[in-house]
């Protein structure tokens, strides 16, 4: 029987793991690549940590730890934000850009490989449908958080 959660999990886990293996020689992880991509594509020349957390659909502690490691490795810098002194503007460095472009070619080849299982005329429609599923899940999460906060850890049974 086909069910959404196991299908999404299998697709995501497999995609993430093969990408992790293919970019390992670059010294970055899939999360590093995603952050570098968001920073590279940012029209304002950077993003705040909060913006990156939302874009990555992650939690603030995970993003903070990842950013510290990436800054130490020279992939990004975090100068004070010019308009909000409480925040830092996360910006990609030239080393981060170099790694991003190397990893992007790997990511594009893997995406073509994965989407190659679909008929060419169906790819755009598939991505639109997948985007809709993601938006519906995000709405459900937001509604749940309004009703009651989600605990950081679930109680033991």
């Amino acid at each position: 029987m086909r069910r959404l959660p196991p299908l999404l999990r299998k697709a995501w886990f497999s995609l993430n793991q093969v990408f992790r293996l293919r970019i390992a020689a670059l010294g970055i992880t899939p999360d590093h690549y995603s952050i570098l991509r968001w920073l590279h594509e940012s029209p304002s020349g950077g993003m705040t940590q909060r913006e990156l957390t939302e874009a990555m659909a992650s939690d603030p502690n995970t993003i903070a730890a990842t950013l510290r490691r990436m800054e130490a490795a020279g992939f990004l810098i975090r100068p004070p934000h010019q308009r909000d002194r409480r925040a830092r503007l996360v910006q990609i460095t030239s080393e981060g850009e170099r790694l991003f472009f190397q990893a992007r070619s790997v990511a594009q080849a893997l995406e073509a490989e994965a989407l190659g299982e679909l008929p060419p005329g169906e790819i755009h429609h598939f991505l639109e449908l997948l985007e809709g599923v993601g938006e519906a899940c995000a709405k459900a999460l937001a509604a749940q958080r309004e009703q009651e906060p989600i605990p950081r850890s679930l109680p033991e049974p």
Side-chain angles (χ1 to χ4, degrees):
M1 177 193 312
R2 291 186 179 141
R3 294 185 333 245
L4 179 65
L7 291 172
L8 285 177
R9 180 172 171 76
K10 180 180 180 181
W12 169 247
F13 183 79
S14 299
L15 182 71
N16 193 54
Q17 291 304 304
V18 71
F19 188 52
R20 176 180 304 283
L21 292 170
R22 290 182 183 181
I23 62 172
L26 298 176
I28 63 172
T29 68
D31 283 348
H32 292 156
Y33 172 75
S34 294
I35 289 170
L36 293 173
R37 186 194 69 223
W38 283 111
L39 295 175
H40 171 78
E41 294 174 354
S42 172
S44 63
M47 299 172 75
T48 65
Q49 186 170 317
R50 176 177 285 166
E51 290 169 333
L52 276 170
T53 299
E54 290 173 15
M56 295 282 294
S58 189
D59 68 274
N61 293 331
T62 298
I63 295 299
T66 303
L67 292 178
R68 279 193 300 275
R69 288 190 299 275
M70 291 178 73
E71 185 176 33
F75 305 157
L76 55 85
I77 58 172
R78 297 187 294 170
H81 197 283
Q82 291 185 353
R83 291 185 306 271
D84 182 355
R85 291 292 174 188
R86 297 169 296 165
R88 296 206 172 262
L89 185 65
V90 183
Q91 298 174 310
I92 193 169
T93 62
S94 57
E95 175 63 9
E97 286 277 351
R98 185 186 68 74
L99 284 170
F100 165 72
F101 285 117
Q102 286 182 310
R104 184 173 70 172
S105 65
V106 175
Q108 289 170 334
L110 180 56
E111 182 175 318
E113 187 178 333
L115 293 177
E117 292 299 312
L118 299 173
E122 300 282 329
I123 293 172
H124 181 74
H125 187 238
F126 169 77
L127 293 175
E128 283 180 336
L129 292 172
L130 188 57
E131 183 177 37
V133 169
E135 288 173 4
C137 292
K139 285 179 189 175
L141 177 59
Q144 182 64 40
R145 284 184 173 155
E146 285 180 16
Q147 290 177 2
E148 61 182 271
I150 297 173
R152 291 246 179 236
S153 62
L154 297 175
E156 295 285 327

